[in-house]
Amino acid sequence: MVRDFSSTGQKNDCVSRFCPPRKSCHDWIGPPDKHSNLRPVHFHVPEDESAAEQKLRELRQETQEWNQQFWANQNVTFRKEKEEFIHSRLKAKGLGLRTESGQKATLNAEEMADFYKEFLSKNFQKHMHYNRDWYKRNFAITFFMGRVALERVWNKLRPKQKTSS
Amino acid sequence: MAKKICVTYSDHLEDPPRELDMEAAWNASKQWVTFQHFTFLKRMYVTQLNRSLRQQIKPKSEPVASPFLEKSSSSQAKTEVYEMKPFAPSTLSLPRKPNETELIELESASIIEGSVDVGKETKDEKQWKEMKLHVDDLPGILARLSKIKLTALVVSTTSAGFALAPGPFDLSCFLLTSVGTGLASCAANSINQFFEVPFDSNMNRTKNRPLVRGQISPLLAVTFAACCAVPGVALLTWGVNPLTGALGLFNIFLYTCCYTPLKRVSIANTWVGAVVGAIPPVMGWTAATGSLDAGAFLLGGILYSWQFPHFNALSWGLREDYSRGGYCMMSVTHPAPALGVTTWTFPVIALPINLYISYLGFRFYRDADRKSSRKLFFCSLWHLPLLLLLMLTCKRRGADRDSGEPQS
């Protein structure tokens, strides 16, 4: 994977730019993404990948992208709306965005509580759908992992049976 | 003119870094594109010291400690020690011709830029860890997965329940109860973490959990949970009594299948969580007596009440994380009225506790025997810390309210 020195934008696709050592046959996990806080995984594709293994890998890859999108959007929206809330409240109180000492003006805990409550209730349906989908995916991934593990154990045992008979 | 040093990279560089002349150095510069291969293969660190471009490769002859042995968080992992040996400029032979000098300056500028990018990307790359489980790390990982400290606290409440219960103290029964409850708690905590991976990633308190960091696979976490739950519940059912076993199983179900998903649906999760916390001492009681009687319910009731200030105090500081993560907690949904309530909840919650210790005191006074004295003693152990905790909780929230009022 050739690195492009001219690119300056360090986007969320650090997974695609990461290249594990050739000798490694495991997945690699990276640092938390700055928007979604989720750690990207670079999935290893073995040469003798079975159909079940491929299905598992693709499901994990797709879930990772889906999760990344949801949480990046969630966190960015939260921060943006929080800033807007602070600005509007400060404006309503007739205060500037900075205090006399030059620090960024903030609201106290009670005032912020209004925002936290509002954000939670506004996004309730979105969270419900996300929860449901996350649980389904998590169970599916774990189930397929179990299936793949059993398959591997079975394949290891089978040649031994052949030689013994 | 900027003095620049380039070094060649090779797959099998075992020798110490050599000083090269500039001609070989230009060849080396073209090999920057395959830089990343070598970075990982031999774990070489290239550091850039300000703008004078003194670069040094430190070849590591043996692999560093397994990434999973790192106990520190990812941010601490960034601070790695670099050994820096500045190159003596006299070792370089620089070209004398003026046109070559210009060429050198041009190329050096582009390589500076490239090396800055590479420096940043190398730093990012170093934070990538191989998802390979080392057996040495497994105990630590499983301890964190099962929230071992919380488990220890749960087992201690069960022991307290066992000790407080009437009847002779049976050591073997006591040990079986403790181990069984501990295993059940490990199982429940592991499943909880298994369900909550993306949410845990987004909260500061929980972002270093094993599943979040990829130190263990979800399959292994579930397998471990099953390997704890089955022997744990079996031990309680057949080693102690079926009632205790049933309570243990019910508690696992309540915590993993009710409380955990409910956290994101409704504030009722706090009440369910309080029941989860109250059941272990009741289990201790039923293990000793074999039945659910008034004493068991009283003990459970006390711990049920205790859960509220305990949890509300914890969640007060986490409101932002909870809101962003989509958790329905009272501290987020009912903040202001809750503050006003604390002043009278304290005596209300403290009342049953004080009543109980008074009752035990009266029993001891009347009976003046070993049994009642032991009961009173054990009660006194937790009575005072519990009251202090309650008072502290109420006081802290009152202080927050005071600081929140605008200065007039």
Side-chain angles (χ1 to χ4, degrees):
Chain A
M1 208 180 281
V2 176
R3 191 166 307 154
D4 179 14
F5 286 138
S6 63
S7 66
T8 49
Q10 300 233 350
K11 299 205 76 188
N12 294 340
D13 58 340
C14 33
V15 185
S16 55
R17 286 188 300 138
F18 170 74
C19 191
R22 271 180 254 116
K23 289 180 203 159
S24 167
C25 56
H26 292 95
D27 298 335
W28 285 73
I29 190 163
D33 178 77
K34 66 177 181 181
H35 294 302
S36 69
N37 296 315
L38 302 175
R39 290 174 184 254
V41 174
H42 185 281
F43 297 101
H44 169 73
V45 187
E47 283 154 6
D48 55 346
E49 191 182 56
S50 67
E53 285 175 341
Q54 187 188 359
K55 191 172 175 187
L56 170 65
R57 180 176 54 82
E58 284 168 357
L59 177 62
R60 289 175 75 191
Q61 181 72 49
E62 203 249 322
T63 300
Q64 182 171 278
E65 284 157 13
W66 169 81
N67 250 335
Q68 166 70 21
Q69 200 190 26
F70 176 84
W71 284 103
N73 175 271
Q74 174 86 348
N75 293 335
V76 164
T77 309
F78 182 85
R79 277 182 215 131
K80 195 180 81 158
E81 289 184 8
K82 186 181 167 187
E83 286 297 314
E84 283 169 8
F85 176 83
I86 292 174
H87 287 178
S88 69
R89 281 291 171 100
L90 286 171
K91 214 170 155 185
K93 290 209 287 195
L95 298 166
L97 291 179
R98 300 234 166 233
T99 60
E100 282 162 11
S101 57
Q103 296 286 322
K104 212 171 159 186
T106 53
L107 300 172
N108 64 33
E110 263 191 59
E111 287 167 309
M112 286 313 300
D114 288 338
F115 168 69
Y116 296 141
K117 186 174 163 187
E118 193 201 319
F119 185 84
L120 198 62
S121 56
K122 205 169 72 170
N123 290 287
F124 187 73
Q125 280 303 320
K126 191 169 135 194
H127 292 158
M128 287 303 105
H129 290 137
Y130 173 79
N131 294 344
R132 192 196 55 204
D133 289 344
W134 161 247
Y135 272 70
K136 277 203 273 198
R137 284 171 184 268
N138 198 22
F139 278 127
I141 287 171
T142 311
F143 175 76
F144 287 139
M145 276 182 169
R147 204 171 73 171
V148 161
L150 285 173
E151 202 181 74
R152 282 204 200 118
V153 166
W154 177 248
N155 287 335
K156 270 194 190 147
L157 291 174
R158 255 199 317 173
K160 281 184 191 167
Q161 282 177 7
K162 276 188 186 162
T163 52
S164 62
S165 60
Chain B
M1 185 184 76
K3 288 181 184 146
K4 189 184 62 61
I5 299 120
C6 279
V7 283
T8 45
Y9 299 93
S10 79
D11 248 76
H12 306 288
L13 184 66
E14 298 290 348
D15 313 312
R18 299 166 290 159
E19 293 109 2
L20 304 167
D21 61 26
M22 294 307 280
E23 209 173 88
W26 300 131
N27 291 331
S29 69
K30 292 182 182 89
Q31 294 180 35
W32 280 106
V33 291
T34 51
F35 173 80
Q36 56 188 316
H37 287 299
F38 309 115
T39 324
F40 266 94
L41 283 168
K42 285 295 168 189
R43 293 180 175 269
M44 297 197 186
Y45 299 101
V46 178
T47 56
Q48 185 177 346
L49 188 66
N50 49 35
R51 296 178 75 80
S52 61
L53 274 182
R54 290 187 201 130
Q55 292 189 347
Q56 162 88 5
I57 294 179
K58 180 181 182 297
K60 294 222 165 190
S61 52
E62 55 183 24
V64 293
S66 146
F68 297 114
L69 281 177
E70 282 179 5
K71 304 291 179 198
S72 54
S73 67
S74 58
S75 59
Q76 287 171 10
K78 286 178 200 166
T79 58
E80 290 175 310
V81 177
Y82 298 96
E83 279 183 26
M84 282 301 303
K85 279 188 265 174
F87 269 95
S90 58
T91 57
L92 289 172
S93 57
L94 301 168
R96 308 271 173 236
K97 295 175 196 170
N99 51 353
E100 272 193 26
T101 311
E102 282 173 14
L103 189 66
I104 289 163
E105 277 186 2
L106 223 83
E107 293 245 9
S108 70
S110 68
I111 287 171
I112 290 168
E113 222 177 79
S115 65
V116 169
D117 273 346
V118 167
K120 267 191 221 159
E121 283 159 2
T122 316
K123 198 177 155 207
D124 275 336
E125 276 193 357
K126 265 183 240 141
Q127 293 172 43
W128 282 78
K129 309 228 182 286
E130 194 175 13
M131 290 175 84
K132 186 177 170 187
L133 185 64
H134 296 260
V135 183
D136 300 338
D137 307 326
L138 202 56
I141 292 171
L142 293 179
R144 283 196 295 278
L145 183 70
S146 57
K147 296 190 212 168
I148 200 81
K149 289 180 194 166
L150 177 62
T151 298
L153 193 63
V154 166
V155 170
S156 68
T157 60
T158 308
S159 313
F162 190 96
L164 280 166
F169 184 86
D170 183 352
L171 182 66
S172 61
C173 186
F174 174 76
L175 289 171
L176 286 170
T177 310
S178 302
V179 171
T181 309
L183 286 171
S185 171
C186 287
N189 290 328
S190 304
I191 297 290
N192 169 266
Q193 289 197 23
F194 164 73
F195 283 155
E196 304 251 281
V197 178
F199 314 117
D200 284 346
S201 310
N202 274 280
M203 290 179 49
N204 283 316
R205 187 176 66 95
T206 52
K207 65 186 179 188
N208 288 317
R209 287 184 169 171
L211 282 168
V212 173
R213 291 173 75 178
Q215 291 173 319
I216 194 175
S217 77
L219 179 68
L220 202 53
V222 171
T223 311
F224 171 72
C227 292
C228 286
V230 171
V233 175
L235 204 61
L236 290 172
T237 309
W238 287 292
V240 182
N241 58 51
L243 177 61
T244 313
L247 281 172
L249 186 63
F250 175 66
N251 215 21
I252 294 174
F253 167 77
L254 204 61
Y255 185 62
T256 57
C257 302
C258 298
Y259 170 71
T260 302
L262 209 55
K263 271 162 63 170
R264 303 182 53 80
V265 174
S266 151
I267 57 169
N269 70 75
T270 311
W271 280 262
V272 174
V275 174
V276 172
I279 284 180
V282 173
M283 281 167 68
W285 186 285
T286 59
T289 61
S291 65
L292 276 172
D293 51 15
F297 284 111
L298 182 64
L299 193 56
I302 289 166
L303 262 106
Y304 176 85
S305 316
W306 177 83
Q307 301 290 329
F308 288 94
H310 160 75
F311 180 73
N312 286 333
L314 171 71
S315 72
W316 179 250
L318 303 172
R319 284 168 309 145
E320 177 161 351
D321 277 355
Y322 279 148
S323 170
R324 185 168 51 87
Y327 282 108
C328 298
M329 299 300 172
M330 265 201 307
S331 58
V332 181
T333 59
H334 297 79
L339 287 173
V341 159
T342 52
T343 50
W344 59 262
T345 45
F346 170 64
V348 167
I349 295 169
L351 187 64
I353 303 167
N354 289 330
L355 277 178
Y356 186 65
I357 195 169
S358 311
Y359 164 75
L360 287 180
F362 173 73
R363 288 296 304 270
F364 176 56
Y365 169 76
R366 220 188 57 179
D367 299 343
D369 63 357
R370 202 171 143 269
K371 192 178 82 172
S372 52
S373 74
R374 202 181 68 216
K375 278 166 77 168
L376 180 59
F377 167 66
F378 278 117
C379 178
S380 68
L381 282 180
W382 55 258
H383 170 259
L384 187 61
L386 188 56
L387 276 186
L388 288 172
L389 179 71
L390 275 174
M391 287 192 283
L392 198 65
T393 312
C394 299
K395 189 189 174 200
R396 194 190 304 151
R397 287 164 77 180
D400 268 350
R401 190 165 52 124
D402 289 339
S403 65
E405 279 164 15
Q407 304 284 326
S408 53

